[in-house]
Amino acid sequence: MDEKEPVDHEDPPTTDVWSTADQHAACRGLKVQPGESLHDTMKENEKYHVTSDQEKGVHIINIKAIEDIGYIQPDTLLLNSLGADQDSACKHGLCFRDGQRKVDYILAYTYKKSSGSRTPSRKSLHSNSLHMSRNSKDGHHLPGGTGDVEFAETEPKMDYHEDDKRFRREEYEGNLMETGLELEKDDETKMHGVGFVKIHAPWNVLCREAEFMKLKMPTKKVYHLNQNQGLMQKLGSVLQKITEPIQPKVASHRPHTVKHLSYPFSREKQHMFDMSDKESFFDSKTRSSIVYEILKRTTCTKAKYSMGITSLLANGVYSAAYPLHDGAFNCYVLSRFTFQLLCDEWASYGVFYKYQPVDLVRKYFGEKIALYFAWLGVYTQMLIPASIVGIIVFLYGCATVDEDIPSMEMCDQRNNLTMCPLCDKTCNYWKISSACATARASHLFDNPATVFFSVFMALWAATFMEHWKRRQMRLNYRWDLTGFEEEEVSTKDHPRAEYEAKVLQKSLKKERRCKETEKEKLTWRDRVPAYVTNMVSIVFMIGLTFAIVFGVIVYRVSTAAALAMSSNPSARANVRVTVTATAVIINLVVILILDEVYGCIARWLTQIEVPKTDKTFEERLIFKAFLLKFVNAYTPIFYVAFFKGRFVGRPGDYVYIFGSFRMEECAPGGCLMELCIQLSIIMLGKQLIQNNLFEIGIPKLKKLIRYLKSRRQTYMDHEEHMKRKQRYELDYDLEPFAGLTPEYMEMIIQFGFVTLFVASFPLAPLFALLNNIIEIRLDAKKFVTELRRPVAVRAKDIGIWYNILRGIGKLSVIINAFVISFTSDFIPRLVYLYMYSPDGTMHGFLNNTLAYFNVSDFKPGTAPNIDQDIGYPVEICRYKDYREAPWSENKYDITKEFWAVLAARLAFVIVFQNLVMFMSDFVDWIIPDIPKDISEQIHREKVLMVEVFLKEEQGKLQMLETWKEHHDKKKVENCNNQSPSRSRCNTGSTTSAYSHRVDV
């Protein structure tokens, strides 16, 4: 269906019957009276009083009433509702009532309805507005008069605040119409007290704004892409056949052999662009982004305060502004097909094994959202080899657990090693063989293959970053974003509504004092209170996180002591398992709660800073939220990895937290197993509860609440309740799009779990892979069905998130080096094997790591009260440390072996870090950021574009020369026929040719 241009008539007939132009204007939502021209009707009729100096100090956000500002009622209403008989042509609200002009954007607003009177019908409203238009030419109406379509005729009371909002809307909508947009209002909807303004951008507006925004559009010039030849071509065809079942059934994933040459749109060069299909030349996401740019720069002005769409939304003049989802029905078949493909081939759990149709996502949602899903797809794809290697490492640990000599010695019942009690007085001595299960489980994650896996994951992170850069470059080339840097600056520097309001407040205060009118801006002095608040708040919240971790430590110590005194033998036997499991669950619950709290606090802290642009606001919000959530998620894990069991002291000289509670000790097999439990439960809990359950449950719960509320409000009006909801009403019920920060944040935190402590949990990539397979479809379904359609935003990269990823990748090398060195027993085993083993094997390693203690050296009141469970009197107990025996001269002093192990650990950290960093940088250097074929194609495009313009200029010159020769020849012939005036003819010919050449 072709898009119809607005019809303009200079002299419409002055009869009582509407002309064709008037009917078209009515279809567009304009009110044209018989005898009036469409041009006259579209004039701006609103005028405003100049406010006095006392009135200029009115509060910006909470404007109280009309008399505070000085409004004059507009002469006519700009928009009106049409008859209900045209509803059949509206395609479920996706088009205007003429059924042809597509709704590109929606402005929604709320207004109060009188509870004592029913809403007038659309037909009566139409006649009332026409009557008002005829009788208000020479006079002014009071606010809330009979011409107000948002109020019932019999409303007994006037609300000046509502009238203020209504006048702002009418002025703003009039200004929008002056820009060329076409509007249609619908006040009588199924939703109680909610009105909608439908906006359509005609062809001339789209062309004008596309040129202003420098949108790259496909030209008629088509060139063939370079194809692989020989062996690479055969391999490509084989790979294509293999991956055919996992490719989405969309045209964008078929191999392309040709590509349109793209160039920034220009109205002067429309003949260059491919307009074979005029309807789809500007797709729905381009149209909505163009309208949004107009909405942002269009303002309504009252006194000195200029309000754009962001300020109008912030002040409640409009309740929402959004483009429409295409839905199952649309004015354009192509858009319906796109939406249906997204539902079937992307936002469905049944296609979890397929690649994403990223080009289709970009076509519908824009580049910024498409880049997020492309990055998520690359990340998930790269997790497959990491998961395979992690499984192999885990299986290696399972296969060699029976051959591990230290764990076999620990499980040997013949080793009658009596261990010192784990707490004072109430805890008894225990045998080392009781920790057999812990030792065997620790070997699954603490084995020589763990070191290899840590190196592998560091290189994996570097390879992933390089692979994403290359993938990103291919997408930039395919989406014509290769020259986007200059455009990006110009499209993102719109001041935020809060910034404009703050600047206006500052200028008004200064004007009262010194009567200056120069333009103000916020300086660092204005933001000092916000910066101080930010710093204090962040330090306080980080301290709160540390305090909660300390509280969990106290819980672990006190619970362990309480269970040790229990009369239940099973409780005493499973003290360590019970304490560890419950403490990790407490940590998980606290992390989930604080994550939500910190997210809100980070947004509030960013808002009080009043950043100027949305880009600055987003970057500052990301930094604060990431810092707080990173500390919140990883602090408990850092404690177990690097602090637990490090400062416990020794028997007879323990370190106490307070009172009689001792610092925690690691299990005989080390803290690595407990670190694995901590990491796995927090990672899986966050993914299952926060990322999936919250994302599914909370939006559906909100949707249900809104549905029940809407049903209760419309229950009393059976006429409204029985109407079918339009597309814009359904979209109004959806959740507004809040940005990609939460989506990126959960994936970045997961990336940290996968890379930072992967030495302790090789299965982390596998669980991340399984989660992301679901996460992709979950996010896709949320974007298609649960959220309002976001405005398409152009972007060529993922922004600050890339730098965060690189930082986590570098940090993971250091953390894994310390985990292997200080948390696992890898280094002590190597030192024993090569320096202290009598036979060159690991036999005797367990005994070598346990020191001796004479029970007579216990401090008074700290020795165990009972020892019946052991069955024999205890004189010497063992504990894990490198210390001198009680019978030596320097008893309980640190041995030389401790310093040898410490030196080896530090040496390993240095060697591991530098070696892996060098290998990562080598991978970064050896893999080019831009694929060779893409760089060649970009260069080829530039050459072709130069050729196109040269040919066009040559064609113009040839046409000019041809015309000049023809014109001169004709003049000469005329002069030959009139010989007496030949000289004058020659002069005239030259002058005429010159003037015409200048015109051309």
Side-chain angles (χ1 to χ4, degrees):
M1 189 179 296
D2 293 332
E3 185 180 15
K4 293 189 176 180
E5 297 284 344
V7 183
D8 293 326
H9 291 277
E10 295 181 359
D11 298 312
T14 55
T15 61
D16 293 336
V17 181
W18 284 14
S19 66
T20 305
D22 299 333
Q23 294 174 4
H24 279 287
C27 288
R28 293 198 301 272
L30 300 177
K31 192 159 64 63
V32 182
Q33 299 184 38
E36 293 182 354
S37 67
L38 179 61
H39 176 72
D40 293 333
T41 306
M42 293 180 63
K43 283 184 177 179
E44 181 186 13
N45 295 304
E46 296 174 314
K47 300 180 181 63
Y48 297 93
H49 288 309
V50 178
T51 57
S52 62
D53 293 338
Q54 291 80 6
E55 293 170 334
K56 289 178 183 177
V58 65
H59 195 273
I60 295 166
I61 302 300
N62 300 318
I63 297 174
K64 296 179 180 178
I66 293 177
E67 63 268 17
D68 294 337
I69 308 297
Y71 265 123
I72 290 182
Q73 174 94 354
D75 293 338
T76 60
L77 290 177
L78 295 172
L79 309 172
N80 70 327
S81 302
L82 299 180
D85 56 345
Q86 294 171 317
D87 285 343
S88 59
C90 289
K91 307 286 184 175
H92 304 276
L94 288 162
C95 297
F96 276 23
R97 298 194 182 282
D98 56 8
Q100 297 178 3
R101 289 170 295 167
K102 178 180 173 61
V103 176
D104 298 317
Y105 219 86
I106 287 291
L107 299 178
Y109 57 90
T110 57
Y111 60 91
K112 293 182 180 179
K113 285 187 177 182
S114 174
S115 58
S117 63
R118 295 182 60 185
T119 306
S121 66
R122 190 172 293 163
K123 194 171 183 180
S124 63
L125 284 174
H126 178 61
S127 61
N128 287 338
S129 57
L130 283 176
H131 178 73
M132 188 207 71
S133 175
R134 293 190 183 100
N135 297 304
S136 62
K137 290 282 184 181
D138 302 322
H140 303 300
H141 289 277
L142 293 173
T146 58
D148 187 2
V149 298
E150 299 173 13
F151 291 85
E153 292 180 357
T154 59
E155 184 156 1
K157 191 176 180 180
M158 291 185 295
D159 190 335
Y160 291 104
H161 187 61
E162 290 297 317
D163 287 346
D164 175 77
K165 292 182 180 180
R166 177 168 57 87
F167 280 118
R168 287 184 182 275
R169 287 195 294 268
E170 289 175 355
E171 182 194 0
Y172 184 70
E173 290 158 8
N175 294 339
L176 289 179
M177 295 177 66
E178 285 187 352
T179 65
L181 296 178
E182 299 177 1
L183 281 70
E184 183 179 83
K185 180 177 281 190
D186 188 1
D187 289 291
E188 189 172 308
T189 62
K190 188 175 179 180
M191 305 188 68
H192 184 79
V194 180
F196 297 92
V197 177
K198 295 175 279 189
I199 301 176
H200 169 76
W203 175 258
N204 59 336
V205 174
L206 293 174
C207 294
R208 182 192 70 207
E209 297 299 322
E211 182 176 359
F212 174 74
M213 296 169 62
K214 301 178 182 178
L215 296 181
K216 279 191 173 182
M217 306 303 292
T219 63
K220 295 178 181 178
K221 177 65 177 177
V222 177
Y223 67 96
H224 289 271
L225 300 176
N226 294 333
Q227 301 294 321
N228 294 323
Q229 300 294 331
L231 180 62
M232 295 302 296
Q233 183 181 9
K234 294 180 180 179
L235 290 177
S237 60
V238 171
L239 184 62
Q240 180 185 347
K241 291 180 181 179
I242 294 175
T243 60
E244 185 67 28
I246 61 175
Q247 296 287 356
K249 297 179 181 179
V250 295
S252 60
H253 271 276
R254 295 170 186 167
H256 296 286
T257 58
V258 296
K259 185 179 185 294
H260 283 273
L261 194 65
S262 296
Y263 186 74
F265 185 80
S266 173
R267 286 173 290 180
E268 295 180 356
K269 299 180 175 62
Q270 285 194 37
H271 59 279
M272 292 175 53
F273 295 92
D274 182 20
M275 295 186 181
S276 55
D277 188 359
K278 196 174 179 182
E279 293 178 359
S280 61
F281 185 73
F282 294 108
D283 54 14
S284 60
K285 64 101 177 171
T286 306
R287 298 174 69 99
S288 63
S289 62
I290 287 175
V291 174
Y292 182 65
E293 286 296 321
I294 299 176
L295 292 176
K296 283 198 295 185
R297 72 167 184 263
T298 304
T299 59
C300 65
T301 307
K302 183 191 301 182
K304 287 183 62 176
Y305 185 31
S306 177
M307 300 179 69
I309 186 60
T310 53
S311 299
L312 293 172
L313 289 170
N315 285 270
V317 178
Y318 289 103
S319 58
Y322 52 91
L324 289 180
H325 279 293
D326 289 335
F329 301 94
N330 201 341
C331 302
Y332 300 116
V333 178
L334 181 64
S335 297
R336 180 173 72 245
F337 188 59
T338 301
F339 183 83
Q340 195 62 43
L341 276 178
L342 287 175
C343 293
D344 297 340
E345 298 294 327
W346 185 52
S348 173
Y349 295 108
V351 293
F352 70 92
Y353 60 92
K354 290 186 177 183
Y355 286 102
Q356 300 180 84
V358 180
D359 293 326
L360 207 63
V361 176
R362 175 248 179 181
K363 185 177 181 180
Y364 190 79
F365 289 107
E367 287 80 4
K368 190 171 184 179
I369 293 176
L371 278 174
Y372 162 71
F373 282 102
W375 173 84
L376 183 56
V378 171
Y379 171 47
T380 304
Q381 185 180 3
M382 288 292 293
L383 283 173
I384 295 176
S387 302
I388 294 174
V389 177
I391 293 173
I392 294 174
V393 170
F394 179 74
L395 293 178
Y396 171 82
C398 295
T400 59
V401 67
D402 292 330
E403 302 174 2
D404 184 49
I405 296 176
S407 60
M408 290 171 60
E409 290 181 347
M410 191 174 292
C411 296
D412 192 355
Q413 297 291 338
R414 295 173 297 179
N415 288 336
N416 191 17
L417 299 178
T418 303
M419 304 298 294
C420 296
L422 298 176
C423 62
D424 294 343
K425 292 191 292 187
T426 56
C427 295
N428 201 1
Y429 302 103
W430 54 285
K431 291 185 177 182
I432 189 67
S433 58
S434 62
C436 174
T438 305
R440 290 174 63 87
S442 296
H443 179 74
L444 301 178
F445 306 100
D446 187 6
N447 55 69
T450 304
V451 181
F452 160 76
F453 190 59
S454 299
V455 176
F456 171 81
M457 287 303 295
L459 299 179
W460 173 87
T463 307
F464 162 61
M465 302 304 294
E466 292 303 311
H467 178 46
W468 165 245
K469 283 195 291 187
R470 291 170 64 84
R471 170 67 170 163
Q472 186 174 259
M473 199 63 211
R474 289 187 181 277
L475 293 176
N476 286 337
Y477 166 72
R478 191 191 306 170
W479 296 345
D480 299 316
L481 295 171
T482 51
F484 183 60
E485 291 84 0
E486 297 82 7
E487 304 164 29
E488 193 173 15
V489 177
S490 62
T491 57
K492 291 191 176 181
D493 56 357
H494 294 280
R496 299 177 63 249
E498 292 80 359
Y499 180 84
E500 291 180 336
K502 197 77 174 178
V503 169
L504 182 61
Q505 286 180 347
K506 182 180 178 181
S507 61
L508 291 176
K509 290 179 182 178
K510 189 172 182 180
E511 186 177 346
R512 293 194 197 101
R513 293 196 305 266
C514 53
K515 303 299 181 182
E516 292 183 3
T517 58
E518 61 184 34
K519 189 175 180 180
E520 292 289 336
K521 64 179 181 179
L522 297 185
T523 62
W524 66 269
R525 290 186 178 88
D526 300 318
R527 292 190 171 99
V528 164
Y531 291 153
V532 173
T533 304
N534 271 260
M535 187 176 299
V536 173
S537 301
I538 290 175
V539 171
F540 171 77
M541 286 181 285
I542 293 176
L544 176 64
T545 303
F546 290 160
I548 291 174
V549 173
F550 181 77
V552 174
I553 294 171
V554 174
Y555 162 80
R556 295 165 69 111
V557 173
S558 58
T559 305
L563 290 176
M565 294 187 295
S566 175
S567 59
N568 189 351
S570 61
R572 292 198 304 271
N574 299 307
V575 170
R576 192 177 296 275
V577 176
T578 305
V579 170
T580 301
T582 55
V584 172
I585 292 174
I586 292 173
N587 274 326
L588 174 61
V589 173
V590 170
I591 287 173
L592 294 178
I593 295 174
L594 289 184
D595 256 357
E596 302 301 322
V597 175
Y598 286 170
C600 298
I601 292 176
R603 181 170 290 274
W604 174 73
L605 291 176
T606 310
Q607 287 173 347
I608 65 175
E609 286 186 20
V610 197
K612 183 176 181 180
T613 62
D614 288 330
K615 183 180 180 181
T616 308
F617 178 87
E618 185 180 12
E619 290 179 350
R620 294 185 181 182
L621 173 62
I622 289 170
F623 174 75
K624 294 182 183 66
F626 174 74
L627 176 63
L628 294 175
K629 293 191 176 186
F630 182 89
V631 173
N632 180 44
Y634 296 115
T635 299
I637 302 175
F638 270 95
Y639 164 72
V640 175
F642 303 120
F643 295 99
K644 184 178 179 181
R646 309 295 173 193
F647 312 102
V648 296
R650 61 170 179 82
D653 189 20
Y654 283 115
V655 177
Y656 294 89
I657 303 177
F658 55 85
S660 59
F661 292 111
R662 284 162 34 184
M663 290 290 292
E664 286 186 285
E665 296 183 43
C666 288
C671 281
L672 195 68
M673 185 61 197
E674 190 170 342
L675 176 62
C676 174
I677 295 173
Q678 185 101 6
L679 178 65
S680 59
I681 292 180
I682 292 177
M683 178 182 175
L684 296 177
K686 277 181 65 67
Q687 290 181 350
L688 294 176
I689 298 175
Q690 187 180 42
N691 298 352
N692 293 334
L693 185 61
F694 284 4
E695 287 190 14
I696 296 175
I698 291 180
K700 289 189 177 297
L701 182 62
K702 289 182 179 179
K703 191 175 180 180
L704 177 62
I705 293 174
R706 285 195 301 269
Y707 170 74
L708 295 176
K709 185 178 179 181
S710 174
R711 187 176 180 181
R712 184 172 64 252
Q713 287 178 343
T714 58
Y715 181 74
M716 300 302 295
D717 197 334
H718 182 71
E719 215 174 85
E720 289 185 355
H721 184 67
M722 293 303 292
K723 288 195 304 182
R724 179 186 177 92
K725 276 193 174 184
Q726 302 291 323
R727 179 73 250 179
Y728 47 84
E729 296 176 278
L730 296 174
D731 285 2
Y732 185 79
D733 286 335
L734 301 177
E735 280 289 302
F737 176 66
L740 289 171
T741 300
E743 314 298 335
Y744 273 113
M745 188 66 69
E746 65 181 74
M747 289 295 105
I748 296 295
I749 296 295
Q750 183 202 84
F751 183 78
F753 284 125
V754 169
T755 56
L756 291 179
F757 296 94
V758 74
S760 64
F761 189 39
L763 295 179
L766 174 63
F767 289 110
L769 172 64
L770 297 177
N771 173 82
N772 289 2
I773 291 174
I774 302 173
E775 182 74 21
I776 290 175
R777 307 303 164 181
L778 178 65
D779 285 346
K781 201 170 186 65
K782 181 173 67 175
F783 271 85
V784 172
T785 62
E786 303 292 339
L787 297 177
R788 292 175 189 161
R789 186 176 181 179
V791 180
V793 178
R794 289 181 295 170
K796 66 177 301 181
D797 52 39
I798 60 176
I800 193 176
W801 297 110
Y802 182 81
N803 297 328
I804 294 176
L805 285 170
R806 286 187 65 88
I808 292 178
K810 300 294 185 183
L811 184 62
S812 67
V813 178
I814 302 173
I815 290 180
N816 280 300
F818 276 95
V819 168
I820 295 171
S821 295
F822 290 91
T823 309
S824 74
D825 284 337
F826 178 74
I827 299 300
R829 291 187 182 195
L830 288 181
V831 172
Y832 176 79
L833 182 63
Y834 293 106
M835 294 180 63
Y836 297 98
S837 176
D839 55 358
T841 64
M842 291 301 297
H843 288 287
F845 173 75
L846 178 63
N847 187 64
N848 180 261
T849 58
L850 298 177
Y852 295 88
F853 180 74
N854 193 332
V855 299
S856 62
D857 292 333
F858 273 122
K859 290 183 179 180
T862 61
N865 295 331
I866 54 175
D867 57 358
Q868 294 85 350
D869 292 343
I870 298 298
Y872 53 87
V874 178
E875 296 180 358
I876 298 294
C877 65
R878 309 292 295 272
Y879 62 98
K880 190 171 183 179
D881 206 347
Y882 292 100
R883 290 185 180 270
E884 297 286 351
W887 51 81
S888 65
E889 294 181 2
N890 303 316
K891 64 176 184 178
Y892 306 132
D893 285 349
I894 295 175
T895 63
K896 294 180 180 179
E897 189 174 352
F898 170 83
W899 299 110
V901 172
L902 179 61
R905 283 174 166 168
L906 294 176
F908 177 84
V909 169
I910 295 173
V911 172
F912 182 89
Q913 175 184 340
N914 287 278
L915 177 63
V916 175
M917 288 285 190
F918 171 76
M919 296 172 67
S920 300
D921 292 339
F922 180 74
V923 170
D924 192 356
W925 172 76
I926 201 172
I927 301 177
D929 294 345
I930 304 177
K932 185 178 180 181
D933 59 329
I934 296 298
S935 61
E936 291 176 353
Q937 298 284 17
I938 293 174
H939 177 71
R940 187 181 175 193
E941 273 197 358
K942 293 179 180 179
V943 174
L944 289 175
M945 185 58 66
V946 171
E947 292 179 358
V948 168
F949 279 103
L950 286 176
K951 288 181 180 179
E952 185 181 5
E953 293 300 323
Q954 290 174 359
K956 288 181 180 179
L957 290 174
Q958 289 177 359
M959 290 178 60
L960 185 61
E961 292 295 333
T962 302
W963 174 86
K964 183 175 178 295
E965 292 176 0
H966 176 72
H967 192 270
D968 289 344
K969 184 177 180 181
K970 189 174 180 181
K971 286 292 183 181
V972 169
E973 291 178 355
N974 292 335
C975 289
N976 288 335
N977 295 333
Q978 302 175 0
S979 57
S981 58
R982 180 175 304 173
S983 60
R984 189 173 52 198
C985 289
N986 292 337
T987 305
S989 174
T990 306
T991 305
S992 176
Y994 173 76
S995 62
H996 192 85
R997 185 163 62 250
V998 172
D999 293 339
V1000 173

